[in-house]
Amino acid sequence: MSNITSEDLFKNIISHAKEYGFIFQSSEIYDGLSAVYDYGQNGSELKKNIREYWWKAMVQMNENIVGIDAAIFMHPTTWKASGHVDAFNDPLVDNKDSKKRYRADVLIEDHLAKIEAKISKEVEKARTRFGDSFNEETFRTTNARVLENQKKIDEINMRFKNALEVGDLNEVRQIIIDLEIVCPVSGTRNWTDVRQFNLMFNTQLGSVSEESSTIYLRPETAQGIFVNFLNVQKTGRMKIPFGIAQTGKAFRNEIVARQFIFRMREFEQMEMQFFIKPGTEMEWYKHWKDVRLKWHRSLGFPETVHRFHDHLKLAHYANAACDIEFKFPFGFKELEGIHSRTDFDLGNHEKFSGKKLQYFDPDSGQSYVPYVIETSIGLDRMFLAILSQSYAEEKLEDGSERVVLRIPEFLAPVKCAVLPLVKKDGLPEKAREIMDRLKFDHLCQYEEKDSIGKRYRRQDAIGTPFCITVDHQTLEDQTVTIRYRDSMVQERIEVGSIEKILIDKVDMKKALRQISG
Ligand code: ATP
């Protein structure tokens, strides 16, 4: 409802996800495992559909992008070469009173977000005051309070960036102290030193302890692509520029895992590495920023839910990087990263493996180590973005309420429900007949329990775009009622036209056309 707080809304979304078979806490009967989740019968369908949409948009729509499926385990030197053994750390800090652990960078970012919220409030106030004549840019560049707050943000950012660049963890702690950041639990400023913590999980390969060696669960899927660069290039006779795409599990021992499936310890990534000629990276970086935003926008959500955020502190491998942020119920947060990774990865794998990882350019007759633009998105975060944006609690005209998931039709777990009005008079048989025709193209559900109203509500709650109701008239004139999830409008249509209507509305093709045109 309109006056619900975003915190309550988020809680409702989480319980809805559980109640309707989207997401369960992992090993729940043992009280769960922190930041690990299982996808249920509807969740796994939605997740699969999102993955498929990403895959088709990358691999099927681009002749110069191919897909692979690399193993989770990799030779341990991979992670030396990639820099993860030495540099895949987060700065952590504990509050001595609450004994709670935080990421120092997140504490500072949250503080910055609060200042930013003050600016937004000021802007919105002015917008209401000035009405049509309001010019946001002029206001932002002239209003004293906005300028003062913006100056604060810039100064903190600069100080924080400098501290991270030289790895000065005492200075990071000092920033937290100077900003008077308190622990949200204890409310005190009693902080420990800031320390670095490596996020990779490790395990042993081999059964005999003397012979076993430490290997890592991959913290990103990208390295499986880099080490296969030449295999794919040669066997696929790929010419630069070309890309390699992959989806799969990644693992990070996150310090603070919260916000449901936003930050998990086991999650899934969808990554694409695009290999290019050195010197062309800024052009391709811009290209992929545009392409990826278009993909997100093709889902039909309001444009205001996405924004770009340029990285202040570049990762050890990047010379330009940004995030596509999404407006989650807990604020704008990273959904996807787009990084210009230079020749860092391939160059280092050359060094550590002693094997040449170069591309022979037939036009110039020269060999070089390609540069790379990467697009990297978390499948689970994308799932959460879609779930939270689709979720709506509505009051209906007759005073009743419903929860509906307005999931883009082509991604919905169940595409159509077939419902006999009553459980007798030959209606179930007729409904089954329709179901048996539809099931070859779409995942459909047959339901005969409870009143038709209750069944509609259940389908709304899992985001089924269409319900087909078979009633007595169906037996006479071969027509059924089709009910639309979003408008709740019901229409009488011929049985013979159901398939065409469904194909028109739920086919992924339409969305793919939109982004490739
Ligand atoms: P964050 O700053 O939120 O920790 P990151 O910058 O470390 O993320 P990347 O290394 O760029 O993330 O990973 C690419 C994508 O993988 C992210 O945009 C995000 O969607 C996803 N991702 C990263 N870590 C997690 C996680 N712990 N749980 C779920 N998804 C994740």
Side-chain angles (χ1 to χ4, degrees):
M1 308 291 123
S2 57
N3 54 0
I4 191 170
T5 65
S6 46
E7 205 170 309
D8 283 342
L9 175 70
F10 190 38
K11 276 192 197 139
N12 293 354
I13 292 170
I14 295 171
S15 28
H16 187 86
K18 179 177 176 194
E19 193 180 339
Y20 285 92
F22 283 86
I23 296 168
F24 308 124
Q25 174 88 58
S26 155
S27 11
E28 195 188 4
I29 57 166
Y30 295 104
D31 295 333
L33 185 65
S34 160
V36 186
Y37 291 91
D38 297 340
Y39 286 81
Q41 66 278 18
N42 291 316
S44 57
E45 284 296 330
L46 175 56
K47 192 176 174 200
K48 174 177 68 68
N49 294 343
I50 301 170
R51 190 192 295 113
E52 187 185 346
Y53 184 45
W54 181 90
W55 187 267
K56 287 196 167 173
M58 281 293 176
V59 178
Q60 195 169 317
M61 292 294 107
N62 293 288
E63 287 171 32
N64 60 348
I65 298 181
V66 292
I68 63 164
D69 184 7
I72 287 171
F73 291 143
M74 299 183 72
H75 192 283
T77 310
T78 309
W79 305 109
K80 268 271 176 218
S82 69
H84 283 81
V85 172
D86 296 322
F88 195 53
N89 304 315
D90 274 342
L92 68 84
V93 62
D94 297 276
N95 182 271
K96 290 184 197 161
D97 299 318
S98 66
K99 309 265 181 286
K100 289 273 175 215
R101 179 160 284 182
Y102 298 93
R103 262 173 65 179
D105 54 332
V106 172
L107 286 179
I108 294 170
E109 273 159 21
D110 285 351
H111 183 85
L112 288 171
K114 279 189 198 142
I115 308 179
E116 222 173 86
K118 278 190 199 159
I119 296 182
S120 302
K121 217 167 148 188
E122 212 64 64
V123 170
E124 287 321 307
K125 247 171 43 197
R127 192 190 307 282
T128 325
R129 194 154 13 106
F130 294 118
D132 284 348
S133 63
F134 181 64
N135 181 317
E136 183 171 335
E137 201 184 322
T138 312
F139 182 77
R140 279 180 180 270
T141 47
T142 53
N143 178 275
R145 268 196 298 268
V146 171
L147 287 176
E148 192 189 319
N149 277 324
Q150 191 55 50
K151 189 160 163 252
K152 272 192 206 160
I153 291 178
D154 295 343
E155 279 170 5
I156 297 167
N157 265 332
M158 187 51 71
R159 204 176 149 195
F160 182 45
K161 179 175 177 244
N162 290 341
L164 288 181
E165 255 168 27
V166 294
D168 186 350
L169 297 179
N170 285 334
E171 169 68 355
V172 174
R173 178 172 189 270
Q174 198 54 46
I175 296 173
I176 294 174
I177 305 270
D178 292 349
L179 295 177
E180 302 184 348
I181 294 175
V182 298
C183 164
V185 177
S186 68
T188 71
R189 289 183 230 147
N190 199 4
W191 298 109
T192 61
D193 286 343
V194 176
R195 281 160 297 147
Q196 290 288 19
F197 175 79
N198 192 288
L199 300 183
M200 281 197 294
F201 285 99
N202 58 41
T203 185
Q204 302 299 313
L205 183 76
S207 58
V208 188
S209 60
E210 303 86 69
E211 288 172 13
S212 70
S213 59
T214 300
I215 54 165
Y216 299 98
L217 297 186
R218 66 180 177 197
E220 61 174 28
T221 57
Q223 298 305 323
I225 293 179
F226 289 124
V227 300
N228 279 300
F229 159 72
L230 262 197
N231 285 338
V232 174
Q233 192 271 321
K234 291 228 153 90
T235 56
R237 299 193 297 155
M238 308 300 290
K239 277 189 79 175
I240 275 182
F242 75 91
I244 304 178
Q246 165 164 237
T247 71
K249 287 282 174 104
F251 304 82
R252 296 182 187 179
N253 199 0
E254 298 281 0
I255 297 172
V256 189
R258 55 184 172 148
Q259 288 162 329
F260 196 36
I261 55 168
F262 180 80
R263 190 172 300 287
M264 301 154 92
R265 296 206 164 98
E266 172 179 342
F267 57 101
E268 192 164 336
Q269 288 187 314
M270 308 191 283
E271 298 198 296
M272 194 278 299
Q273 313 291 325
F274 198 69
F275 298 92
I276 55 173
K277 194 171 172 186
T280 62
E281 66 269 24
M282 283 309 147
E283 186 187 313
W284 284 112
Y285 175 63
K286 188 181 168 312
H287 170 83
W288 281 108
K289 275 176 77 171
D290 293 345
V291 171
R292 293 304 302 148
L293 186 63
K294 210 165 164 192
W295 185 84
H296 287 282
R297 295 236 158 115
S298 69
L299 298 185
F301 297 141
E303 296 211 341
T304 47
V305 299
H306 300 108
R307 72 177 189 196
F308 280 115
H309 168 77
D310 289 321
H311 283 202
L312 277 173
K313 185 208 166 212
L314 293 175
H316 56 273
Y317 49 74
N319 73 352
C322 69
D323 300 331
I324 295 177
E325 292 188 335
F326 184 83
K327 196 172 180 191
F328 289 100
F330 39 86
F332 271 104
K333 295 273 179 210
E334 170 176 349
L335 171 59
E336 169 157 7
I338 298 158
H339 311 127
S340 170
R341 290 178 83 123
T342 67
D343 59 358
F344 176 87
D345 303 88
L346 289 180
N348 268 1
H349 285 307
E350 270 203 332
K351 253 187 255 158
F352 279 77
S353 68
K355 310 264 165 43
K356 262 200 169 4
L357 294 176
Q358 301 197 352
Y359 172 75
F360 175 73
D361 185 343
D363 299 331
S364 69
Q366 286 179 335
S367 293
Y368 58 83
V369 179
Y371 269 31
V372 168
I373 304 294
E374 157 183 272
T375 72
S376 172
I377 174 170
L379 175 50
D380 313 86
R381 276 193 199 175
M382 189 62 205
F383 185 108
L384 183 58
I386 292 175
L387 182 69
S388 54
Q389 191 61 40
S390 304
Y391 179 91
E393 299 173 3
E394 293 180 346
K395 214 173 186 88
L396 306 179
E397 271 171 20
D398 65 2
S400 64
E401 287 173 10
R402 73 162 180 168
V403 172
V404 56
L405 293 185
R406 297 175 189 277
I407 300 173
E409 278 101 341
F410 70 99
L411 296 178
V414 176
K415 299 295 189 291
C416 174
V418 185
L419 318 169
L421 187 63
V422 289
K423 236 188 295 181
K424 53 181 185 185
D425 305 335
L427 301 190
E429 289 75 10
K430 183 72 195 164
R432 284 255 172 237
E433 199 186 298
I434 295 173
M435 175 80 191
D436 285 343
R437 275 212 330 255
L438 298 181
K439 73 182 180 193
F440 290 95
D441 289 313
H442 314 285
L443 182 64
C444 300
Q445 226 171 50
Y446 172 87
E447 261 207 308
E448 56 179 27
K449 272 199 210 77
D450 294 325
S451 73
I452 196 76
K454 272 197 185 149
R455 280 180 272 169
Y456 285 156
R457 290 289 169 277
R458 274 205 296 270
Q459 295 298 334
D460 287 344
I462 64 168
T464 307
F466 309 100
C467 290
I468 301 288
T469 304
V470 173
D471 56 18
H472 293 93
Q473 195 184 327
T474 309
L475 304 181
E476 287 160 24
D477 66 2
Q478 294 293 314
T479 64
V480 290
T481 304
I482 183 165
R483 174 190 179 269
Y484 300 93
R485 172 195 73 194
D486 295 348
S487 62
M488 294 188 289
V489 164
Q490 301 187 18
E491 279 171 355
R492 201 87 208 165
I493 57 165
E494 295 194 359
V495 170
S497 64
I498 301 174
E499 274 152 299
K500 182 168 176 344
I501 292 179
L502 273 192
I503 293 266
D504 272 358
K505 308 242 185 211
V506 303
D507 205 340
M508 198 172 275
K509 245 188 272 176
K510 229 170 47 185
L512 288 169
R513 280 219 178 86
Q514 199 185 323
I515 54 169
S516 66

